[in-house]
Amino acid sequence: MPSFHPFPIRIFLFTVVATLLGGQFVSASDCPNIVLMMCDDLGWGDTGFNGNTIIQTPELDALANEGTVLDHFYSVGPVCSPTRASFLTGRHYFRMGIWTANKGHLPSQEFTLARMLKTRGYATGHFGKWHLGTLSRTVSAKGKGRRPDLHYAPPWERDYDASFVTESAVCTWDPGIGKRARNNPYYENGVATDENVLGCDSRVLMDRALPFIEAAAERDQPFLSVIWFHAPHEDIQAGPEYLAKYEGHGEAAHYYGCITAVDDQVGRLRKKLASLGVADNTLLFFCSDNGPEGGEPSNRMKTRRAGSAGEFSGRKRSVLDGGVRVPAFVHWPGQIPAGVRLNAPLSVMDLLPTVAAITGAETLPNRLLDGENVLPIWKGEQAQREKSIPFRYGQFACLVRGKHKLIIESPNDDSKDRLFDLSKDVSESNNLANQKPELTASMRTELLGFLESAKASHAGEEYEGNDTKPVEKWHPLGKAGQRGNATPNR
């Protein structure tokens, strides 16, 4: 197993840069370590802590029970790349032109979690899936249409000191070979590698994450470790020991097995933190990037329908809650209450402002954030967020304000507007738009205002300098031919 080697030159350089930026350096005892985990295509109902009685997730369940479960948590994006952009920046993905998967990339001007925490002296690492740009200037896993030169945006040029990543999805077993691995190798600190890339993919990436964490702990340096599992995204394959756990479940055994494999690696992470003596000073966060795959008939793998969106309508690629409400919890001993389930609407966009509040880091004063500091909500000191949560995918734009959710399809025509009371109608089948015209109009005005703000951000108005040009034209709401799904399952 390759080991992570500290980068003394790199550490020195980012120390100098952070000092110039006004950063204040702290030891690990002064600021908590941050580990942010995310699965790929994991449904709301795919974990034991959300009621699944088939899939074995004892490690995740234990962390959830010892922490706070976020029952009403939104990925914001109903597909991969948009969620990941918002996760790292605290901003809606439309501000960056990341309309859907494999579109756009993470701009170098964005102020990310990694960039922010380096000003506080953190070591920063990213492990697993990236999907926010190409990792090579000459090839892309998505073919010539991806323009690798135009969309080159690797984590090692986005403020990560260490990284072990693939551009996009790989098979959950033997990720280093097969069709998904074509032009899509693991890159370790910027160099393609075929070392230790066979077997369980969740173990493969954790094999790199743990040495990074250990090295930072030995230096008494706080660390940010972003761990984005590939499972249970297609191609889905479980190893023999995990298939044995689900004998009798047919093809679904692969889906169930690769989730349990993730769970085992989370347990391995937890044991490492305990052995290093940093578990009590480490904040662990877990979620999924969108709802489960399997919304439409397909000849693709039979396992694609194995995922559960719980009681919610819609799945991946839908702005209905089944496509964007995902399993999530936060665990931070002594700081976040244990055994609590919160129903306040929250989202991945809240991570950056919340981590800023926790660590004392400063955000950019001229950078609009769509998330907010929800630490008081996590702690039970505040009941609801102040900001609404916007969504946009294909021909649909949405807004969640408190218990209500509005879905619109046109900036001018309100005849197809839909308003739902999520506290009473989790299937989003009872349209209240005509019954609550004032609320509908107010939320519509707020949503359209957000879209205009996002359009200005996309044009680069918040970035310094005049050389920023968006790689694609703005996607106006109501444009013909845009894909998306907002029809409840019946």
Side-chain angles (χ1 to χ4, degrees):
M1 183 185 80
S3 61
F4 173 83
H5 299 284
F7 297 93
I9 295 177
R10 230 182 240 186
I11 293 169
F12 171 76
L13 288 176
F14 84 68
T15 299
V16 172
V17 171
T19 301
L20 292 174
L21 291 174
Q24 177 184 352
F25 282 87
V26 294
S27 70
S29 60
D30 297 317
C31 275
N33 306 303
I34 309 289
V35 179
L36 306 176
M37 297 176 285
M38 184 161 66
C39 274
D40 197 343
D41 289 2
L42 184 73
W44 190 93
D46 284 338
T47 64
F49 67 82
N50 274 351
N52 195 294
T53 58
I54 299 175
I55 304 176
Q56 300 169 33
T57 55
E59 299 291 346
L60 290 170
D61 298 346
L63 284 170
N65 291 335
E66 295 168 17
T68 291
V69 176
L70 311 178
D71 270 335
H72 198 158
F73 188 85
Y74 286 115
S75 63
V76 181
V79 292
C80 177
S81 301
T83 293
R84 294 167 195 274
S86 293
F87 185 112
L88 296 182
T89 65
R91 288 154 58 81
H92 195 277
Y93 44 89
F94 257 60
R95 296 190 186 276
M96 291 160 270
I98 302 179
W99 325 118
T100 184
N102 308 307
K103 292 291 185 181
H105 60 265
L106 181 63
S108 61
Q109 299 92 337
E110 281 296 325
F111 187 75
T112 63
L113 279 161
R115 182 170 297 180
M116 179 180 73
L117 288 183
K118 286 182 74 166
T119 69
R120 293 290 286 156
Y122 276 68
T124 57
H126 192 108
F127 307 93
K129 193 174 184 180
W130 179 241
H131 221 186
L132 288 172
T134 62
L135 305 179
S136 166
R137 296 185 187 275
T138 57
V139 297
S140 169
K142 299 303 177 180
K144 295 181 179 179
R146 183 60 172 142
R147 285 288 306 276
D149 57 329
L150 181 63
H151 294 291
Y152 182 69
W156 54 90
E157 293 191 11
R158 295 296 184 271
D159 299 288
Y160 286 105
D161 302 313
S163 58
F164 179 73
V165 294
T166 62
E167 179 188 334
S168 58
V170 295
C171 186
T172 57
W173 183 263
D174 285 348
I177 59 178
K179 65 178 182 179
R180 286 278 186 181
R182 183 180 180 183
N183 292 332
N184 190 31
Y186 262 113
Y187 286 81
E188 188 164 19
N189 300 317
V191 180
T193 182
D194 59 2
E195 185 176 356
N196 186 22
V197 292
L198 298 180
C200 175
D201 176 69
S202 296
R203 176 198 56 76
V204 167
L205 68 91
M206 194 62 75
D207 279 354
R208 268 61 172 212
L210 295 186
F212 163 78
I213 289 172
E214 185 173 13
E218 289 176 352
R219 295 190 301 267
D220 191 32
Q221 182 181 12
F223 56 82
L224 165 70
S225 182
V226 178
I227 303 175
W228 285 352
F229 297 99
H230 291 96
H233 189 290
E234 297 174 333
D235 292 351
I236 302 169
Q237 185 177 346
E241 66 176 296
Y242 294 104
L243 287 177
K245 293 178 181 288
Y246 297 102
E247 187 175 357
H249 287 277
E251 287 295 315
H254 284 283
Y255 186 88
Y256 302 159
C258 74
I259 295 174
T260 299
V262 168
D263 189 78
D264 279 352
Q265 295 307 311
V266 172
R268 186 178 163 208
L269 165 69
R270 196 173 188 190
K271 289 179 182 177
K272 173 61 72 173
L273 294 171
S275 69
L276 294 172
V278 298
D280 288 344
N281 193 39
T282 299
L283 185 155
L284 296 172
F285 174 86
F286 176 87
C287 72
S288 177
D289 66 343
N290 47 250
E293 181 63 275
E296 300 294 336
S298 171
N299 292 324
R300 297 160 78 180
M301 294 179 67
K302 294 179 182 179
T303 50
R304 77 194 304 268
R305 286 187 174 273
S308 170
E311 59 185 339
F312 307 108
S313 292
R315 297 170 77 85
K316 182 178 180 180
R317 301 179 190 85
S318 172
V319 295
L320 296 172
D321 268 22
V324 290
R325 192 188 291 209
V326 295
F329 66 75
V330 60
H331 177 279
W332 189 13
Q335 300 294 327
I336 301 297
V340 172
R341 300 188 75 101
L342 291 178
N343 197 40
L346 305 171
S347 83
V348 296
M349 297 186 298
D350 301 326
L351 289 175
L352 185 141
T354 302
V355 169
I358 289 170
T359 61
E362 294 184 0
T363 59
L364 293 185
N366 62 339
R367 193 61 53 86
L368 293 173
L369 294 178
D370 299 300
E372 67 179 82
N373 171 22
V374 296
L375 182 60
I377 298 178
W378 286 359
K379 288 189 170 187
E381 300 168 353
Q382 179 179 318
Q384 296 291 333
R385 66 187 301 110
E386 297 177 2
K387 294 182 180 179
S388 301
I389 302 175
F391 304 77
R392 174 75 203 280
Y393 188 69
Q395 70 268 41
F396 302 104
C398 314
L399 191 76
V400 169
R401 183 196 288 174
K403 65 181 182 179
H404 290 101
K405 179 177 179 180
L406 177 70
I407 303 176
I408 70 173
E409 300 181 36
S410 167
N412 304 312
D413 182 3
D414 62 3
S415 63
K416 295 183 179 180
D417 289 0
R418 283 172 284 171
L419 179 71
F420 304 111
D421 182 343
L422 298 175
S423 68
K424 301 176 181 178
D425 179 22
V426 296
S427 65
E428 297 172 75
S429 56
N430 183 23
N431 185 1
L432 302 176
N434 291 333
Q435 299 177 36
K436 297 181 178 292
E438 293 184 0
L439 177 60
T440 301
S442 172
M443 292 180 68
R444 165 178 265 273
T445 297
E446 182 181 354
L447 180 53
L448 293 176
F450 158 75
L451 292 176
E452 285 301 310
S453 174
K455 183 178 181 180
S457 295
H458 171 254
E461 290 190 5
E462 295 165 69
Y463 298 153
E464 295 181 0
N466 299 318
D467 58 346
T468 301
K469 295 181 180 179
V471 295
E472 293 183 4
K473 294 182 179 179
W474 172 256
H475 277 211
L477 183 64
K479 180 180 179 181
Q482 291 181 346
R483 297 177 62 189
N485 185 1
T487 302
N489 295 338
R490 299 294 185 186

